Amino acid sequence: MVNPVNSSSSSNSLSGSSSTTPASSSNTSSVSNTGTSGSNSSISIPGAGLVSFSGLSTGIDTNQIIQEMATIARQPETIYQQDMQQIQARQAAYNALSAQLLTLQTAALNLDTYSTFRAMTVSSSNQNVVTATAQPGAQAGTHTITVNALAQAEMISTAAQTSQTAPLGFSGQLLINGKAINVSAADSLQSLATNINSAQAGVRAAIISPSQGQYYLTIASVNTGLAAQISIADVGNGNLLQQLGIAETGGRIRHPLSSSGVGAGSDLFTDSVTPVYTLEGLSSAPAGDVQIQLNNGSFQTVHIDLSQSLSQIASAINAALGTNAASVQNVTDPYTGQAKQQLQIAGATGFVDSNNVLADLGIYQVNLAPGRELAQAQDASFTLDGIAATRPTNSFSDAISGVTINLLQASSGSSGPATATITISSDTSTIQKDIQDFVQTFNSTIDMIDQQSQYDPNTGQTGILFGDLTIESLKNTLISMVTGKVLGLPSSLSLLSQIGITLDQTGHLNIDQNALSQALSTNLQGVAQLFQASGSATDPNVQFVTGGPNTQPSPPQGYAIVITQPATQAQLTVASPQTQPLATDETLTFGGPLFGTPATTSGTLTGPSITLHAGSTASDVVNQINSDPVISAVVSASLDSQGRLQLTSKQYGSQATFDVVSSAPASASSTGIGTTIQQVSGQDVAGTINGEVATGHGQFLTDTQQGTNGVGQGRAVGLEVRVTATQPGTYGTVSFTSGVADMLKNFLNTQTDPITGALTLAVNQMQTQYQDDQQAINDIEANIAVQEQMWLQEFTNMEQVVSNLRASSAGLAMFGASLLPSSTSSSSSGGSGSTGG
């Protein structure tokens, strides 16, 4: 940078008169002013022209000169700013393209999803009678359904009351579906309905008034079906049901164990070791001497006390009968799917209740008063392909695998049989639409690439990514993948063009809808393989799971599967069996990875626990563990052939590790686990795929053979199979192919991955260049700031010099004036002398 003003130029420019100097190409600046008057002056600055200014001493406008010089110094910034704008435009284009590629990847993933080509549809010949839906992979076929009766819920009511708000005037406890309902004398129909609904007993209470001055409390089961019949009973010696007009004398077996009515079961309870009255929420424990009628017609008296558990009541019944007729069974709740406990009495044909203890257990149901059952509980009754069947609900999915059936109308005498034929078939229309969506998204992606990289020969205008080699390579790869042959498939169906999907000269895919529809109808599996990653195993102990982005299509003979270690579950078997009821309450505490806590063999174990009550038998212990919602989700309990307790993880592999410890020492009257923490683990499957290194995780085996640089070196790298074999050995082969959608999905991931994707890296590189440009601008600005200070200092020095010169000039003038003769003095002297003469 050339300083426009220095000491020599300053001295040369000083003049006693005003002048104007034209701009020149010289590197020096010419300054002219009126040294004393401060009138307007000018300065010629290379590249800036003639600048006018005025100053204090010199008349120079210092700030204006510095600003003009800074403007000249900033000229290189324009280049950097233009480059930064270009970078931002390219980044925006890359980000937009990356978003479009993610959309294309989603469309490809949809076609590469297992369920897409297994979508099924169901049609009904009479949708007023039956409708149905099918899950992917359901078996195609035609079935005839005749609906004889629809499932319905039971509804009962009280006798008519004159008021819904007046106190009822009686008190006690009711038991509805095993839940206690407290009734006070101040309760009205309204408050009683509220109390019933608050108990969440599987019923809904409401008040209806069919005519003025008549109010009925109705109780309806939430669920349909015979199993959801309302269990309602008085507690102890109460008679609230008769006072409400719901029940009368006599009763029946509530849960017969056979169609002939022989055998009886109780309601379902959460466990078999807690006192029954506690499970039901009763304020006290009723007890009574009941009579049980056996097959031979005789009655036996048994004392039943609800302060005992189900297991204890079963033991009391067996002791009184001298048989093993009573037992506690693990039963699945048909509505919740939870494991429950039920007291069952085999061979019982009748009962005489006492103090309502059998009714409170749900074994016995008192008779309803005439007219009090407004709707009977009823199972759905139908025939499926001529075979009679029943279900507790009108919608079910266990009659035909993968199909949910909805029964809507039953046969009647006036309308005749309610029959419908349902046809299950592949949903090719939905599959065809998914393929169309994929093609449309592919074409939109090509359009975006073309738009960003276009060149107009007429105007010379180009897209922001014109000439970008990364984008050109991307487009070529996309087109190559959709037009290339899928390796590993038969030549008769290995190209998209063979199902009517072709590429035109503009790089767009076109669909011959008729050809595609024909291919889907005649060879759906073959079309699926054209798009998806697909595989099949020759051995039933091996199932293909998935391939990876680097998995190569297998040769015709497939990839060999060799297992050296089958996967195992974690299993603990105690040393000796429990031969006596638990002597005391015993708490089992669980922990380890399966329960979300660190594995440990020492110290204190933290995790979920379960308390087994004193008096529990070995079977009771098993039932209680299997009924616990937390523990049974990951561990199951059983007894081995010697009666020893076994705890087995439901998960396979090394992650199936759990700890357990008991509060009671191991003995014949305890579970046998003991007070020392026990830890057990499963083993992961081990073996090779195609002779290559594979890694096991539970039952899943994945080819992981890698080179020293981390790149997969095996042909089957990334291939995953599930192995259910229980012995080492060779288990056939697995064949693998990667279809168009699968290849595109994997390739697009290499482009759009937020860390390692090619487009991501390109945008990051642009950002680095953008930052470099910004830093260059910052450096220029920093340098200008330094120069401005220097320029200001030099102008200040010049001003000081000029000021000093002016001061010196003024002093010299005064000194010179003092040396000149004074005319006034001479005149005075002469006059004086003349006068004096």
Side-chain angles (χ1 to χ4, degrees):
M1 183 64 65
V2 178
N3 294 326
V5 179
N6 54 40
S7 59
S8 60
S9 62
S10 297
S11 62
N12 292 335
S13 66
L14 294 175
S15 172
S17 63
S18 177
S19 64
T20 301
T21 305
S24 70
S25 60
S26 171
N27 288 333
T28 60
S29 299
S30 176
V31 179
S32 175
N33 62 20
T34 59
T36 58
S37 66
S39 60
N40 288 340
S41 302
S42 62
I43 181 170
S44 178
I45 300 176
L50 190 64
V51 180
S52 297
F53 47 81
S54 62
L56 295 176
S57 298
T58 63
I60 298 175
D61 190 341
T62 302
N63 290 335
Q64 179 67 20
I65 293 174
I66 291 176
Q67 289 175 5
E68 295 292 344
M69 295 172 68
T71 299
I72 296 170
R74 286 191 175 95
Q75 287 180 352
E77 292 184 6
T78 303
I79 299 174
Y80 291 117
Q81 290 168 346
Q82 291 174 346
D83 188 47
M84 292 170 68
Q85 291 175 354
Q86 185 77 359
I87 289 172
Q88 287 181 317
R90 287 171 57 80
Q91 283 181 318
Y94 261 75
N95 289 333
L97 180 58
S98 182
Q100 178 62 32
L101 292 180
L102 287 173
T103 302
L104 178 58
Q105 186 180 34
T106 300
L109 178 61
N110 182 46
L111 289 181
D112 197 30
T113 301
Y114 174 85
S115 60
T116 298
F117 286 89
R118 293 162 181 80
M120 305 298 289
T121 185
V122 184
S123 62
S124 172
S125 64
N126 191 341
Q127 294 193 357
N128 294 323
V129 173
V130 176
T131 61
T133 57
Q135 297 297 317
Q139 187 67 41
T142 300
H143 304 275
T144 300
I145 300 176
T146 299
V147 184
N148 301 317
L150 294 177
Q152 64 182 26
E154 183 178 27
M155 178 182 287
I156 62 177
S157 77
T158 64
Q161 306 292 318
T162 58
S163 171
Q164 61 177 325
T165 57
L168 294 172
F170 42 79
S171 61
Q173 274 189 316
L174 290 176
L175 202 62
I176 299 179
N177 290 345
K179 295 290 184 70
I181 310 295
N182 295 316
V183 181
S184 70
D187 277 328
S188 64
L189 282 186
Q190 281 187 347
S191 59
L192 180 56
T194 299
N195 293 340
I196 293 173
N197 289 330
S198 298
Q200 297 183 343
V203 295
R204 297 189 185 95
I207 297 173
I208 62 174
S209 178
S211 60
Q212 188 173 6
Q214 285 188 328
Y215 299 93
Y216 296 84
L217 172 69
T218 63
I219 304 172
S221 177
V222 171
N223 298 307
T224 60
L226 291 173
Q229 292 179 88
I230 300 170
S231 175
I232 188 167
D234 284 308
V235 175
N237 58 6
N239 63 345
L240 294 179
L241 293 181
Q242 291 188 12
Q243 289 177 298
L244 288 167
I246 295 176
E248 61 180 10
T249 58
R252 57 180 172 81
I253 295 176
R254 172 167 170 72
H255 300 290
L257 298 181
S258 65
S259 58
S260 62
V262 176
S266 70
D267 285 339
L268 304 184
F269 295 88
T270 55
D271 70 64
S272 60
V273 294
T274 302
V276 171
Y277 89 100
T278 301
L279 293 176
E280 294 180 327
L282 301 178
S283 56
S284 60
D289 293 328
V290 306
Q291 292 186 333
I292 301 177
Q293 185 179 29
L294 302 180
N295 278 330
N296 59 12
S298 64
F299 282 88
Q300 296 291 331
T301 301
V302 179
H303 181 75
I304 293 180
D305 188 342
L306 298 191
S307 67
Q308 294 180 322
S309 67
L310 284 185
S311 293
Q312 292 171 327
I313 292 173
S315 297
I317 293 173
N318 288 334
L321 299 181
T323 66
N324 290 322
S327 64
V328 177
Q329 299 296 324
N330 196 38
V331 177
T332 300
D333 189 315
Y335 298 100
T336 66
Q338 295 178 335
K340 297 292 183 66
Q341 307 299 309
Q342 184 182 45
L343 172 65
Q344 296 184 356
I345 307 174
T349 58
F351 297 90
V352 177
D353 202 357
S354 172
N355 216 19
N356 289 312
V357 293
L358 291 177
D360 292 343
L361 281 169
I363 291 175
Y364 190 72
Q365 176 62 61
V366 296
N367 290 329
L368 297 176
R372 298 284 67 83
E373 187 173 42
L374 305 183
Q376 285 188 333
Q378 181 174 281
D379 284 340
S381 173
F382 60 97
T383 61
L384 176 60
D385 295 335
I387 301 175
T390 60
R391 290 294 185 278
T393 63
N394 293 313
S395 180
F396 44 89
S397 56
D398 58 350
I400 302 174
S401 179
V403 179
T404 298
I405 297 173
N406 305 301
L407 306 181
L408 304 177
Q409 179 181 309
S411 302
S412 66
S414 59
S415 61
T419 299
T421 299
I422 60 172
T423 302
I424 308 161
S425 58
S426 296
D427 190 0
T428 55
S429 60
T430 298
I431 298 171
Q432 188 160 348
K433 182 181 181 302
D434 289 337
I435 295 175
Q436 291 171 352
D437 291 343
F438 167 77
V439 168
Q440 182 178 355
T441 306
F442 179 89
N443 291 339
S444 297
T445 304
I446 297 299
D447 286 341
M448 177 174 284
I449 294 174
D450 288 344
Q451 181 182 5
Q452 301 286 9
S453 58
Q454 67 178 338
Y455 169 71
D456 189 336
N458 297 322
T459 64
Q461 292 183 342
T462 62
I464 191 65
L465 300 180
F466 174 72
D468 190 307
L469 296 180
T470 299
I471 302 305
E472 289 182 8
S473 175
L474 170 65
K475 178 180 178 180
N476 292 335
T477 301
L478 292 177
I479 291 176
S480 175
M481 284 186 171
V482 298
T483 57
K485 183 177 182 179
V486 178
L487 299 178
L489 296 183
S491 58
S492 59
L493 193 55
S494 59
L495 295 165
L496 290 185
S497 59
Q498 292 170 321
I499 61 171
I501 302 175
T502 56
L503 191 77
D504 62 22
Q505 293 182 348
T506 64
H508 290 79
L509 291 175
N510 297 306
I511 302 178
D512 182 335
Q513 298 292 353
N514 291 331
L516 177 58
S517 179
Q518 178 69 15
L520 291 172
S521 299
T522 58
N523 192 355
L524 180 59
Q525 183 178 358
V527 176
Q529 290 179 322
L530 264 179
F531 287 98
Q532 295 186 325
S534 59
S536 60
T538 60
D539 192 287
N541 292 292
V542 177
Q543 294 89 43
F544 166 78
V545 177
T546 188
N550 298 316
T551 309
Q552 301 298 309
S554 59
Q557 66 271 22
Y559 294 135
I561 305 296
V562 176
I563 303 303
T564 57
Q565 167 63 55
T568 62
Q569 298 161 284
Q571 186 175 79
L572 172 67
T573 303
V574 301
S576 57
Q578 174 192 343
T579 57
Q580 302 173 18
L582 297 184
T584 61
D585 285 355
E586 181 175 350
T587 299
L588 304 183
T589 303
F590 293 81
L594 276 181
F595 292 94
T597 62
T600 179
T601 55
S602 61
T604 302
L605 186 62
T606 58
S609 62
I610 183 171
T611 298
L612 310 171
H613 297 288
S616 298
T617 64
S619 296
D620 293 335
V621 168
V622 168
N623 289 336
Q624 190 170 355
I625 293 174
N626 289 335
S627 298
D628 186 273
V630 175
I631 296 171
S632 65
V634 290
V635 171
S636 63
S638 61
L639 300 175
D640 71 0
S641 59
Q642 300 179 35
R644 298 177 299 180
L645 177 65
Q646 281 187 333
L647 299 175
T648 306
S649 68
K650 295 184 177 180
Q651 183 177 325
Y652 285 79
S654 59
Q655 290 301 307
T657 298
F658 70 89
D659 307 330
V660 63
V661 67
S662 173
S663 62
S667 68
S669 58
S670 74
T671 60
I673 292 175
T675 56
T676 300
I677 294 177
Q678 305 287 325
Q679 184 181 92
V680 287
S681 299
Q683 287 186 309
D684 294 317
V685 63
T688 61
I689 300 176
N690 195 39
E692 300 163 6
V693 177
T695 301
H697 182 77
Q699 292 181 312
F700 296 89
L701 188 67
T702 306
D703 189 313
T704 54
Q705 183 161 314
Q706 299 287 320
T708 55
N709 61 352
V711 177
Q713 297 297 302
R715 283 185 54 83
V717 66
L719 181 66
E720 183 177 56
V721 295
R722 183 186 182 194
V723 181
T724 57
T726 58
Q727 297 295 326
T730 299
Y731 289 90
T733 62
V734 171
S735 297
F736 173 77
T737 59
S738 179
V740 171
D742 183 63
M743 289 188 293
L744 269 178
K745 176 198 71 177
N746 294 329
F747 168 71
L748 292 174
N749 188 60
T750 68
Q751 303 299 300
T752 60
D753 185 276
I755 297 177
T756 62
L759 297 187
T760 304
L761 296 177
V763 170
N764 291 342
Q765 186 177 5
M766 293 179 201
Q767 185 62 27
T768 299
Q769 181 60 48
Y770 183 91
Q771 293 170 348
D772 289 345
D773 288 349
Q774 183 62 60
Q775 186 59 50
I777 292 175
N778 294 341
D779 292 342
I780 292 174
E781 289 295 324
N783 184 59
I784 289 174
V786 173
Q787 291 292 329
E788 285 178 335
Q789 291 298 318
M790 184 184 70
W791 296 333
L792 181 60
Q793 184 60 50
E794 290 183 355
F795 278 115
T796 300
N797 294 339
M798 183 187 72
E799 291 284 345
Q800 184 63 48
V801 170
V802 172
S803 177
N804 291 339
L805 288 174
R806 286 180 174 173
S808 298
S809 176
L812 288 173
M814 293 177 64
F815 177 72
S818 69
L819 295 179
L820 295 176
S822 174
S823 58
T824 304
S825 299
S826 299
S827 174
S828 298
S829 298
S832 198
S834 174
T835 302

